[in-house]
Amino acid sequence: MEATSLLVLFSTFFLFLAMNTPIAVGLALSGLFTLALQIAPGDLLAVVGEKMFSGLDSFGFLALPFFILAGNIMNQGGIARRLLDLALLLGKRIPGNLWQSNIIANMLFGSLSGSAIAASTAIGGIVAPMAKEKGYDMAFTTAVNASSAPTGMLIPPTGVFIMYSLITGGSASIAALFLAGYLPGIMMGLAVMIVAGIWARRHNYPVDKSPWLWREISQVLIRALPSLSLVVVIIGGIIGGIFTATEGAGVAVAWSLMLGLIYRTLSMKKLVKVLAESAITSAVILFLIACSGLMSWSMTFANIPDTIGELLISVSDNKFVILLLITVTLLVVGVFMDMTPAMLIFTPILFPVVTELGMSPVQFGVVLTYNLAIGIVTPPVGTVLFVSCSITGEKVTRVIRPLLPIFAMQLVGLLLITWFPFFTLWLPGLFGL
């Protein structure tokens, strides 16, 4: 029965995907067909309705629409320009300084907005004209912008970790996940910076050697610090126990609104638009979560995670080999599936396997996010890559080549955080989490 359920679940799901059925509907129907193997028809619809509703019956899910709203307000608040000015200052003396500034700005803005697409659009939209004017290679500029934008999915505050914590039933605390994401997020950004620096040296790009002016530094810091203070307030409040992650999301909305008013960039018309976009995005994600909850429950009901775990262990009993297999699987999944549905589908499947191997739930959450963050830059579903290409006007085929060394360097970081818990657990351990 377990093997039959496994076959029915995934064959129906991929069949619906091939038919261009919305992913949420495909998740719900594949779970429905799997449950139909073991539940009487008279009880089936009642069970399905109950499980879809209970999948959203959690106070913690309120954090998702709040963080989405805060990120959208940030996008409209003129914050990207202020953070890029700070990044230009920080990356001034590094080879390929405009690329380096693009990476730093994506790390800063991505962590505030929680969206790789928002970061690549807001920062890339400003950097692209500057790069053309200074004669930078636009294919490599596009690759740099696309590959550094997902760092904000790891550097907190990020809604991805909140969703993972709720999927795993709170096995990994949100505060611990937030702290655990810092080093891997910085490692992902540094991987792009290293490749960009080598590329700039090899192609003799000039380094900005103009003197540091304290007046310029102070002006840039004064403009950028109010935005960056959001991270300090949210993370400090959650780690310090002043408020929960859900309450922190509400504080993030209030702080973003305050910044929009201070900067005078958020009109009533823009605010109405932001609220509407946030409501639509939240509805899509929450419906997806409800449908994936049904699929996850059907997998648990049919003992599918245990079956997959036994299959993996039958391949090898070496922990490092199994983790490598899981990493390769997630990388392949990320190529063909967006981050949210991939996390909702594969977390319930792989979580019991990795915990059986002794991996911390916190470490696995970061590893899973890092894997899928790479996937959103790879075609054919790489939304961030396509957005970056549309900004610079470059063809995807021209951007693939400069992306390859960046991916290679990022994969080194992925293996480090997968095989060595230090990179994810040191910071939470430092704060007793």
Side-chain angles (χ1 to χ4, degrees), residues 304-365:
I304 289 175
D306 293 336
T307 304
I308 292 175
E310 290 171 5
L311 287 172
L312 285 171
I313 293 172
S314 68
V315 174
S316 173
D317 57 357
N318 187 305
K319 175 183 176 179
F320 293 102
V321 173
I322 295 175
L323 290 177
L324 181 61
L325 286 173
I326 291 173
T327 296
V328 172
T329 301
L330 289 172
L331 285 171
V332 173
V333 167
V335 170
F336 299 101
M337 193 175 293
D338 204 9
M339 177 179 280
T340 300
M343 180 170 283
L344 292 168
I345 293 168
F346 288 91
T347 299
I349 295 174
L350 298 175
F351 184 75
V353 179
V354 296
T355 50
E356 185 70 24
L357 293 171
M359 178 183 269
S360 162
V362 172
Q363 183 188 0
F364 178 63

Short mmCIF file of all heavy atoms in Angstrom, two decimals, residues 304-365:
data_model
loop_
_atom_site.label_atom_id
_atom_site.label_comp_id
_atom_site.label_asym_id
_atom_site.label_seq_id
_atom_site.Cartn_x
_atom_site.Cartn_y
_atom_site.Cartn_z
N ILE A 304 4.45 7.44 3.60
CA ILE A 304 5.35 7.68 2.47
C ILE A 304 6.72 8.21 2.92
O ILE A 304 7.75 7.76 2.40
CB ILE A 304 4.68 8.64 1.45
CG1 ILE A 304 3.55 7.91 0.74
CG2 ILE A 304 5.69 9.17 0.44
CD1 ILE A 304 2.72 8.77 -0.20
N PRO A 305 6.81 9.14 3.90
CA PRO A 305 8.14 9.59 4.34
C PRO A 305 9.00 8.43 4.85
O PRO A 305 10.21 8.39 4.57
CB PRO A 305 7.82 10.57 5.48
CG PRO A 305 6.47 11.09 5.14
CD PRO A 305 5.74 9.93 4.55
N ASP A 306 8.40 7.48 5.57
CA ASP A 306 9.16 6.33 6.06
C ASP A 306 9.65 5.48 4.89
O ASP A 306 10.78 4.98 4.90
CB ASP A 306 8.30 5.47 6.98
CG ASP A 306 7.97 6.20 8.28
OD1 ASP A 306 8.73 7.12 8.64
OD2 ASP A 306 6.95 5.86 8.91
N THR A 307 8.81 5.33 3.88
CA THR A 307 9.19 4.53 2.70
C THR A 307 10.36 5.18 1.98
O THR A 307 11.32 4.49 1.59
CB THR A 307 7.99 4.41 1.73
OG1 THR A 307 6.88 3.85 2.43
CG2 THR A 307 8.34 3.53 0.55
N ILE A 308 10.32 6.50 1.79
CA ILE A 308 11.41 7.20 1.12
C ILE A 308 12.69 7.15 1.95
O ILE A 308 13.79 6.97 1.42
CB ILE A 308 11.00 8.66 0.83
CG1 ILE A 308 9.88 8.68 -0.22
CG2 ILE A 308 12.19 9.48 0.35
CD1 ILE A 308 9.32 10.05 -0.51
N GLY A 309 12.54 7.26 3.27
CA GLY A 309 13.69 7.15 4.15
C GLY A 309 14.36 5.79 4.04
O GLY A 309 15.60 5.69 3.98
N GLU A 310 13.58 4.73 3.98
CA GLU A 310 14.13 3.38 3.82
C GLU A 310 14.84 3.23 2.48
O GLU A 310 15.88 2.57 2.38
CB GLU A 310 13.01 2.35 3.95
CG GLU A 310 12.47 2.22 5.38
CD GLU A 310 11.21 1.36 5.44
OE1 GLU A 310 10.84 0.79 4.39
OE2 GLU A 310 10.62 1.27 6.53
N LEU A 311 14.27 3.86 1.43
CA LEU A 311 14.90 3.80 0.11
C LEU A 311 16.27 4.49 0.13
O LEU A 311 17.25 3.97 -0.44
CB LEU A 311 14.01 4.46 -0.94
CG LEU A 311 12.75 3.69 -1.36
CD1 LEU A 311 11.87 4.57 -2.25
CD2 LEU A 311 13.13 2.41 -2.10
N LEU A 312 16.35 5.65 0.79
CA LEU A 312 17.62 6.37 0.85
C LEU A 312 18.67 5.61 1.65
O LEU A 312 19.83 5.52 1.25
CB LEU A 312 17.40 7.76 1.47
CG LEU A 312 16.73 8.81 0.58
CD1 LEU A 312 16.38 10.05 1.39
CD2 LEU A 312 17.62 9.19 -0.59
N ILE A 313 18.23 5.04 2.77
CA ILE A 313 19.17 4.29 3.62
C ILE A 313 19.64 3.03 2.93
O ILE A 313 20.76 2.55 3.13
CB ILE A 313 18.51 3.98 4.99
CG1 ILE A 313 18.29 5.30 5.76
CG2 ILE A 313 19.35 3.03 5.81
CD1 ILE A 313 17.47 5.16 7.01
N SER A 314 18.78 2.45 2.06
CA SER A 314 19.18 1.25 1.32
C SER A 314 20.28 1.55 0.31
O SER A 314 21.04 0.67 -0.08
CB SER A 314 17.97 0.65 0.61
OG SER A 314 17.51 1.51 -0.43
N VAL A 315 20.37 2.83 -0.13
CA VAL A 315 21.43 3.21 -1.07
C VAL A 315 22.77 3.25 -0.36
O VAL A 315 23.79 2.77 -0.87
CB VAL A 315 21.12 4.60 -1.69
CG1 VAL A 315 22.29 5.07 -2.56
CG2 VAL A 315 19.85 4.54 -2.51
N SER A 316 22.79 3.81 0.84
CA SER A 316 24.03 3.89 1.63
C SER A 316 23.68 4.16 3.08
O SER A 316 22.66 4.80 3.38
CB SER A 316 24.92 5.02 1.09
OG SER A 316 26.03 5.22 1.92
N ASP A 317 24.53 3.67 3.98
CA ASP A 317 24.33 3.96 5.39
C ASP A 317 25.27 5.07 5.87
O ASP A 317 25.35 5.36 7.06
CB ASP A 317 24.52 2.70 6.24
CG ASP A 317 25.90 2.07 6.03
OD1 ASP A 317 26.69 2.59 5.20
OD2 ASP A 317 26.19 1.05 6.69
N ASN A 318 25.98 5.69 4.91
CA ASN A 318 26.89 6.78 5.23
C ASN A 318 26.12 8.09 5.27
O ASN A 318 25.47 8.48 4.29
CB ASN A 318 28.01 6.85 4.18
CG ASN A 318 29.09 7.87 4.56
OD1 ASN A 318 28.81 9.03 4.80
ND2 ASN A 318 30.33 7.40 4.61
N LYS A 319 26.18 8.79 6.39
CA LYS A 319 25.43 10.03 6.58
C LYS A 319 25.77 11.07 5.53
O LYS A 319 24.88 11.72 4.96
CB LYS A 319 25.73 10.58 7.98
CG LYS A 319 25.10 11.95 8.25
CD LYS A 319 25.50 12.45 9.63
CE LYS A 319 24.96 13.87 9.88
NZ LYS A 319 25.33 14.36 11.23
N PHE A 320 27.05 11.23 5.21
CA PHE A 320 27.46 12.25 4.26
C PHE A 320 26.96 11.94 2.85
O PHE A 320 26.60 12.85 2.10
CB PHE A 320 28.99 12.39 4.26
CG PHE A 320 29.53 12.95 5.54
CD1 PHE A 320 30.11 12.12 6.49
CD2 PHE A 320 29.45 14.31 5.81
CE1 PHE A 320 30.60 12.63 7.68
CE2 PHE A 320 29.95 14.84 6.99
CZ PHE A 320 30.52 13.99 7.93
N VAL A 321 26.93 10.66 2.50
CA VAL A 321 26.45 10.25 1.17
C VAL A 321 24.95 10.54 1.05
O VAL A 321 24.48 11.07 0.03
CB VAL A 321 26.73 8.76 0.91
CG1 VAL A 321 26.06 8.31 -0.40
CG2 VAL A 321 28.23 8.51 0.84
N ILE A 322 24.19 10.21 2.11
CA ILE A 322 22.74 10.44 2.07
C ILE A 322 22.44 11.93 2.00
O ILE A 322 21.56 12.38 1.25
CB ILE A 322 22.06 9.80 3.30
CG1 ILE A 322 22.21 8.27 3.26
CG2 ILE A 322 20.58 10.17 3.35
CD1 ILE A 322 21.68 7.56 4.47
N LEU A 323 23.18 12.73 2.78
CA LEU A 323 22.99 14.18 2.73
C LEU A 323 23.33 14.75 1.35
O LEU A 323 22.67 15.67 0.86
CB LEU A 323 23.84 14.87 3.80
CG LEU A 323 23.40 14.65 5.26
CD1 LEU A 323 24.37 15.32 6.21
CD2 LEU A 323 21.99 15.19 5.48
N LEU A 324 24.36 14.17 0.71
CA LEU A 324 24.71 14.59 -0.64
C LEU A 324 23.59 14.25 -1.62
O LEU A 324 23.24 15.06 -2.49
CB LEU A 324 26.02 13.93 -1.08
CG LEU A 324 26.54 14.30 -2.47
CD1 LEU A 324 26.81 15.80 -2.55
CD2 LEU A 324 27.80 13.51 -2.81
N LEU A 325 22.99 13.07 -1.47
CA LEU A 325 21.87 12.66 -2.32
C LEU A 325 20.68 13.61 -2.14
O LEU A 325 20.03 14.01 -3.12
CB LEU A 325 21.45 11.23 -1.99
CG LEU A 325 22.35 10.10 -2.48
CD1 LEU A 325 21.87 8.76 -1.91
CD2 LEU A 325 22.36 10.03 -4.01
N ILE A 326 20.41 13.96 -0.89
CA ILE A 326 19.30 14.88 -0.61
C ILE A 326 19.59 16.25 -1.22
O ILE A 326 18.70 16.89 -1.81
CB ILE A 326 19.08 15.00 0.91
CG1 ILE A 326 18.52 13.67 1.46
CG2 ILE A 326 18.14 16.15 1.25
CD1 ILE A 326 18.42 13.62 2.96
N THR A 327 20.84 16.71 -1.11
CA THR A 327 21.22 18.01 -1.68
C THR A 327 21.04 18.02 -3.19
O THR A 327 20.49 18.97 -3.76
CB THR A 327 22.69 18.33 -1.32
OG1 THR A 327 22.81 18.46 0.10
CG2 THR A 327 23.15 19.62 -1.98
N VAL A 328 21.51 16.95 -3.85
CA VAL A 328 21.38 16.86 -5.31
C VAL A 328 19.90 16.84 -5.70
O VAL A 328 19.48 17.50 -6.66
CB VAL A 328 22.10 15.61 -5.85
CG1 VAL A 328 21.79 15.40 -7.33
CG2 VAL A 328 23.60 15.73 -5.64
N THR A 329 19.10 16.09 -4.93
CA THR A 329 17.66 16.01 -5.21
C THR A 329 17.01 17.38 -5.11
O THR A 329 16.23 17.79 -5.98
CB THR A 329 16.97 15.04 -4.22
OG1 THR A 329 17.57 13.75 -4.33
CG2 THR A 329 15.49 14.94 -4.51
N LEU A 330 17.34 18.13 -4.05
CA LEU A 330 16.75 19.45 -3.86
C LEU A 330 17.20 20.44 -4.94
O LEU A 330 16.43 21.30 -5.37
CB LEU A 330 17.11 19.98 -2.48
CG LEU A 330 16.42 19.29 -1.30
CD1 LEU A 330 17.00 19.76 0.03
CD2 LEU A 330 14.92 19.52 -1.33
N LEU A 331 18.46 20.32 -5.37
CA LEU A 331 18.94 21.19 -6.45
C LEU A 331 18.17 20.93 -7.74
O LEU A 331 17.80 21.87 -8.45
CB LEU A 331 20.44 20.97 -6.67
CG LEU A 331 21.39 21.56 -5.63
CD1 LEU A 331 22.81 21.09 -5.86
CD2 LEU A 331 21.34 23.09 -5.64
N VAL A 332 17.92 19.65 -8.03
CA VAL A 332 17.16 19.30 -9.24
C VAL A 332 15.71 19.79 -9.11
O VAL A 332 15.14 20.35 -10.05
CB VAL A 332 17.20 17.77 -9.47
CG1 VAL A 332 16.26 17.38 -10.61
CG2 VAL A 332 18.62 17.32 -9.78
N VAL A 333 15.13 19.60 -7.92
CA VAL A 333 13.76 20.06 -7.68
C VAL A 333 13.67 21.57 -7.87
O VAL A 333 12.73 22.09 -8.48
CB VAL A 333 13.31 19.66 -6.25
CG1 VAL A 333 12.03 20.41 -5.86
CG2 VAL A 333 13.08 18.17 -6.17
N GLY A 334 14.67 22.30 -7.34
CA GLY A 334 14.67 23.75 -7.44
C GLY A 334 14.74 24.26 -8.87
O GLY A 334 14.26 25.36 -9.16
N VAL A 335 15.32 23.47 -9.76
CA VAL A 335 15.39 23.87 -11.17
C VAL A 335 14.00 23.90 -11.80
O VAL A 335 13.70 24.75 -12.64
CB VAL A 335 16.31 22.90 -11.95
CG1 VAL A 335 16.21 23.14 -13.46
CG2 VAL A 335 17.76 23.06 -11.49
N PHE A 336 13.13 22.99 -11.38
CA PHE A 336 11.83 22.84 -12.02
C PHE A 336 10.65 23.36 -11.19
O PHE A 336 9.52 23.37 -11.67
CB PHE A 336 11.58 21.36 -12.35
CG PHE A 336 12.58 20.79 -13.30
CD1 PHE A 336 13.62 20.00 -12.85
CD2 PHE A 336 12.50 21.06 -14.66
CE1 PHE A 336 14.57 19.48 -13.73
CE2 PHE A 336 13.42 20.54 -15.55
CZ PHE A 336 14.47 19.76 -15.09
N MET A 337 10.90 23.79 -9.95
CA MET A 337 9.80 24.19 -9.09
C MET A 337 10.18 25.41 -8.27
O MET A 337 11.33 25.53 -7.83
CB MET A 337 9.43 23.01 -8.16
CG MET A 337 8.12 23.17 -7.44
SD MET A 337 7.71 21.67 -6.48
CE MET A 337 7.45 20.49 -7.79
N ASP A 338 9.25 26.31 -8.06
CA ASP A 338 9.50 27.51 -7.27
C ASP A 338 9.70 27.15 -5.80
O ASP A 338 9.32 26.05 -5.36
CB ASP A 338 8.33 28.48 -7.44
CG ASP A 338 8.74 29.91 -7.17
OD1 ASP A 338 9.95 30.16 -7.03
OD2 ASP A 338 7.86 30.78 -7.10
N MET A 339 10.26 28.08 -5.05
CA MET A 339 10.68 27.79 -3.67
C MET A 339 9.52 27.38 -2.76
O MET A 339 9.61 26.37 -2.04
CB MET A 339 11.41 28.99 -3.07
CG MET A 339 11.79 28.78 -1.61
SD MET A 339 12.68 30.17 -0.89
CE MET A 339 14.33 29.89 -1.51
N THR A 340 8.43 28.14 -2.77
CA THR A 340 7.34 27.88 -1.82
C THR A 340 6.73 26.49 -2.00
O THR A 340 6.66 25.72 -1.03
CB THR A 340 6.27 28.97 -1.93
OG1 THR A 340 6.85 30.23 -1.64
CG2 THR A 340 5.14 28.71 -0.95
N PRO A 341 6.27 26.11 -3.20
CA PRO A 341 5.71 24.76 -3.35
C PRO A 341 6.74 23.66 -3.09
O PRO A 341 6.40 22.62 -2.52
CB PRO A 341 5.21 24.73 -4.80
CG PRO A 341 5.88 25.84 -5.49
CD PRO A 341 6.14 26.87 -4.46
N ALA A 342 7.99 23.88 -3.50
CA ALA A 342 9.02 22.86 -3.27
C ALA A 342 9.23 22.64 -1.77
O ALA A 342 9.35 21.50 -1.31
CB ALA A 342 10.32 23.29 -3.93
N MET A 343 9.26 23.73 -1.00
CA MET A 343 9.43 23.60 0.45
C MET A 343 8.23 22.92 1.09
O MET A 343 8.38 22.06 1.96
CB MET A 343 9.66 24.97 1.07
CG MET A 343 9.85 24.95 2.56
SD MET A 343 10.40 26.54 3.23
CE MET A 343 12.14 26.51 2.78
N LEU A 344 7.04 23.28 0.64
CA LEU A 344 5.82 22.68 1.20
C LEU A 344 5.72 21.20 0.90
O LEU A 344 5.21 20.42 1.72
CB LEU A 344 4.60 23.41 0.65
CG LEU A 344 4.41 24.86 1.12
CD1 LEU A 344 3.35 25.55 0.30
CD2 LEU A 344 4.05 24.91 2.60
N ILE A 345 6.21 20.77 -0.26
CA ILE A 345 6.11 19.36 -0.66
C ILE A 345 7.20 18.52 -0.03
O ILE A 345 6.94 17.44 0.53
CB ILE A 345 6.17 19.24 -2.20
CG1 ILE A 345 4.95 19.87 -2.85
CG2 ILE A 345 6.27 17.76 -2.62
CD1 ILE A 345 5.08 20.04 -4.35
N PHE A 346 8.45 19.00 -0.08
CA PHE A 346 9.58 18.13 0.27
C PHE A 346 10.01 18.22 1.74
O PHE A 346 10.72 17.34 2.22
CB PHE A 346 10.77 18.43 -0.65
CG PHE A 346 10.56 17.92 -2.05
CD1 PHE A 346 10.00 18.71 -3.02
CD2 PHE A 346 10.88 16.61 -2.36
CE1 PHE A 346 9.78 18.23 -4.31
CE2 PHE A 346 10.66 16.11 -3.64
CZ PHE A 346 10.11 16.92 -4.61
N THR A 347 9.58 19.25 2.45
CA THR A 347 9.91 19.29 3.88
C THR A 347 9.31 18.11 4.64
O THR A 347 10.03 17.43 5.39
CB THR A 347 9.46 20.63 4.51
OG1 THR A 347 10.13 21.71 3.86
CG2 THR A 347 9.79 20.66 6.00
N PRO A 348 8.01 17.82 4.48
CA PRO A 348 7.45 16.65 5.20
C PRO A 348 8.07 15.32 4.79
O PRO A 348 8.10 14.38 5.59
CB PRO A 348 5.95 16.69 4.82
CG PRO A 348 5.69 18.07 4.34
CD PRO A 348 6.96 18.52 3.70
N ILE A 349 8.58 15.25 3.55
CA ILE A 349 9.18 14.00 3.07
C ILE A 349 10.57 13.80 3.65
O ILE A 349 10.91 12.72 4.16
CB ILE A 349 9.24 13.99 1.53
CG1 ILE A 349 7.83 13.98 0.93
CG2 ILE A 349 10.02 12.77 1.02
CD1 ILE A 349 7.81 14.12 -0.58
N LEU A 350 11.39 14.84 3.60
CA LEU A 350 12.81 14.71 3.96
C LEU A 350 13.10 14.99 5.43
O LEU A 350 14.12 14.54 5.95
CB LEU A 350 13.64 15.66 3.09
CG LEU A 350 13.60 15.38 1.58
CD1 LEU A 350 14.36 16.46 0.82
CD2 LEU A 350 14.17 14.01 1.26
N PHE A 351 12.22 15.74 6.10
CA PHE A 351 12.47 16.10 7.49
C PHE A 351 12.67 14.87 8.40
O PHE A 351 13.64 14.84 9.17
CB PHE A 351 11.33 16.98 8.01
CG PHE A 351 11.54 17.48 9.41
CD1 PHE A 351 12.44 18.51 9.67
CD2 PHE A 351 10.85 16.92 10.49
CE1 PHE A 351 12.64 18.98 10.96
CE2 PHE A 351 11.05 17.38 11.77
CZ PHE A 351 11.94 18.41 12.01
N PRO A 352 11.80 13.84 8.32
CA PRO A 352 12.03 12.66 9.16
C PRO A 352 13.34 11.94 8.84
O PRO A 352 13.98 11.37 9.73
CB PRO A 352 10.82 11.75 8.85
CG PRO A 352 9.80 12.64 8.24
CD PRO A 352 10.56 13.69 7.51
N VAL A 353 13.75 12.00 7.58
CA VAL A 353 14.99 11.31 7.16
C VAL A 353 16.21 11.99 7.78
O VAL A 353 17.08 11.33 8.36
CB VAL A 353 15.11 11.30 5.61
CG1 VAL A 353 16.41 10.61 5.19
CG2 VAL A 353 13.92 10.60 4.99
N VAL A 354 16.30 13.32 7.65
CA VAL A 354 17.48 14.03 8.14
C VAL A 354 17.55 14.04 9.67
O VAL A 354 18.64 13.97 10.25
CB VAL A 354 17.53 15.47 7.59
CG1 VAL A 354 17.68 15.46 6.09
CG2 VAL A 354 16.32 16.28 8.01
N THR A 355 16.39 14.11 10.33
CA THR A 355 16.42 14.07 11.79
C THR A 355 16.84 12.68 12.29
O THR A 355 17.50 12.56 13.33
CB THR A 355 15.05 14.43 12.38
OG1 THR A 355 14.02 13.66 11.75
CG2 THR A 355 14.75 15.91 12.17
N GLU A 356 16.47 11.65 11.54
CA GLU A 356 16.92 10.28 11.87
C GLU A 356 18.44 10.17 11.74
O GLU A 356 19.09 9.42 12.47
CB GLU A 356 16.23 9.28 10.94
CG GLU A 356 16.51 7.82 11.26
CD GLU A 356 15.86 7.35 12.55
OE1 GLU A 356 14.84 7.97 12.97
OE2 GLU A 356 16.37 6.40 13.16
N LEU A 357 19.02 10.94 10.81
CA LEU A 357 20.47 10.96 10.62
C LEU A 357 21.18 11.81 11.67
O LEU A 357 22.41 11.83 11.72
CB LEU A 357 20.81 11.48 9.23
CG LEU A 357 20.42 10.62 8.03
CD1 LEU A 357 20.63 11.38 6.73
CD2 LEU A 357 21.20 9.32 8.02
N GLY A 358 20.42 12.51 12.49
CA GLY A 358 21.01 13.33 13.53
C GLY A 358 21.20 14.79 13.16
O GLY A 358 21.82 15.56 13.91
N MET A 359 20.67 15.22 12.01
CA MET A 359 20.79 16.64 11.62
C MET A 359 19.78 17.47 12.40
O MET A 359 18.63 17.07 12.57
CB MET A 359 20.55 16.79 10.11
CG MET A 359 20.61 18.24 9.62
SD MET A 359 20.25 18.44 7.86
CE MET A 359 21.89 18.31 7.17
N SER A 360 20.23 18.62 12.85
CA SER A 360 19.35 19.53 13.59
C SER A 360 18.25 20.08 12.67
O SER A 360 18.51 20.39 11.51
CB SER A 360 20.16 20.69 14.16
OG SER A 360 19.34 21.77 14.52
N PRO A 361 17.01 20.19 13.17
CA PRO A 361 15.95 20.80 12.37
C PRO A 361 16.31 22.21 11.90
O PRO A 361 15.91 22.63 10.81
CB PRO A 361 14.75 20.83 13.32
CG PRO A 361 15.00 19.73 14.28
CD PRO A 361 16.50 19.69 14.46
N VAL A 362 17.06 22.95 12.72
CA VAL A 362 17.49 24.30 12.35
C VAL A 362 18.44 24.24 11.16
O VAL A 362 18.30 24.98 10.17
CB VAL A 362 18.16 25.01 13.54
CG1 VAL A 362 18.77 26.34 13.11
CG2 VAL A 362 17.15 25.24 14.66
N GLN A 363 19.43 23.35 11.23
CA GLN A 363 20.39 23.22 10.14
C GLN A 363 19.70 22.81 8.85
O GLN A 363 19.98 23.36 7.78
CB GLN A 363 21.46 22.19 10.50
CG GLN A 363 22.55 22.06 9.42
CD GLN A 363 23.51 20.91 9.67
OE1 GLN A 363 23.38 20.18 10.66
NE2 GLN A 363 24.47 20.74 8.79
N PHE A 364 18.76 21.86 8.93
CA PHE A 364 18.08 21.41 7.72
C PHE A 364 17.25 22.53 7.10
O PHE A 364 17.18 22.65 5.87
CB PHE A 364 17.19 20.21 8.02
CG PHE A 364 16.43 19.72 6.81
CD1 PHE A 364 17.10 19.23 5.71
CD2 PHE A 364 15.04 19.75 6.77
CE1 PHE A 364 16.42 18.78 4.59
CE2 PHE A 364 14.34 19.31 5.66
CZ PHE A 364 15.03 18.82 4.57
N GLY A 365 16.63 23.36 7.92
CA GLY A 365 15.86 24.48 7.39
C GLY A 365 16.71 25.43 6.57
O GLY A 365 16.30 25.90 5.50
#
